[in-house]
Amino acid sequence: IHQYGCRVILIDNLMTALDLEHLSGDDQYERQSKFVKKLTRMAMKYNALILLVAHKRKNNVSTNANDEIAGSSNIANLAMVTLAYDRDKDIPDENRLIRIAKNRLFGKINLEGFEVKYDERSKRIFGNGDNPDIEYSCFKTEDGFVTDEFMAIPF
């Protein structure tokens, strides 16, 4: 944020972001809470959007997306907005649902969600009017061609 002036930060995901070893006095949930609390303060102080990916619990015991976040309950408690990204048995296999489970900014939630497409080849999520085959300039060579080497997922 300071060095490059970034205002959008993506942390994927909570479990790989934490160095849990050096904080030996706290348990895992306390460490997660402290980390998320620091991110929240940083986002407010620097007027930045910090997107933190936190995966769902494996057991799916609740219908509330905020309760389904694996780890400390403070992950959802401290967040301004929570989104749930899911497959749904009532929609085609290539589609997914994005639900707004919590929204402190506007107070509105959307539990029914909205449908998006998912392209298995590129691992991209896109809307109905978007082109999944778009060739971004970051994948082009100096002569303007897109090579197969660039079509592999870079991460």
Side-chain angles (χ1 to χ4, degrees):
I1 291 175
H2 283 290
Q3 185 172 357
Y4 298 108
C6 294
R7 291 292 176 257
V8 178
I9 309 294
L10 172 65
I11 301 171
D12 184 10
N13 66 54
L14 175 63
M15 299 315 270
T16 59
L18 288 176
D19 178 11
L20 300 177
E21 301 301 319
H22 77 282
L23 300 170
S24 59
D26 299 329
D27 71 7
Q28 176 181 356
Y29 298 122
E30 288 178 64
R31 289 178 235 157
Q32 290 173 353
S33 295
K34 286 180 181 180
F35 182 74
V36 174
K37 193 175 288 187
K38 286 180 181 181
L39 289 179
T40 303
R41 285 190 202 131
M42 187 185 317
M44 288 199 234
K45 180 177 180 178
Y46 298 109
N47 193 27
L49 169 63
I50 300 178
L51 299 164
L52 174 64
V53 176
H55 293 282
K56 292 176 67 171
R57 297 180 198 280
K58 302 283 187 228
N59 56 11
N60 293 0
V61 295
S62 173
T63 58
N64 183 332
N66 294 318
D67 292 341
E68 282 298 307
I69 297 171
S72 169
S73 61
N74 282 328
I75 298 166
N77 291 344
L78 293 166
M80 298 298 264
V81 175
T82 60
L83 302 174
Y85 174 76
D86 293 303
R87 293 181 183 183
D88 191 288
K89 65 181 186 303
D90 297 330
I91 61 174
D93 284 344
E94 68 275 4
N95 292 4
R96 303 292 189 269
L97 281 179
I98 295 179
R99 295 181 177 96
I100 302 170
K102 177 181 178 180
N103 187 343
R104 282 195 180 142
L105 302 175
F106 303 109
K108 296 179 181 178
I109 58 173
N110 180 346
L111 296 177
E112 291 157 17
F114 54 95
E115 232 174 288
V116 293
K117 304 254 185 224
Y118 176 72
D119 181 50
E120 184 70 39
R121 182 180 64 87
S122 66
K123 309 292 189 225
R124 292 182 186 158
I125 301 166
F126 57 98
N128 288 331
D130 296 335
N131 177 5
D133 298 319
I134 191 168
E135 297 171 353
Y136 293 99
S137 61
C138 61
F139 295 130
K140 292 183 181 177
T141 60
E142 288 180 19
D143 55 7
F145 294 100
V146 176
T147 66
D148 289 338
E149 159 190 356
F150 289 113
M151 295 320 293
I153 302 301
F155 38 83

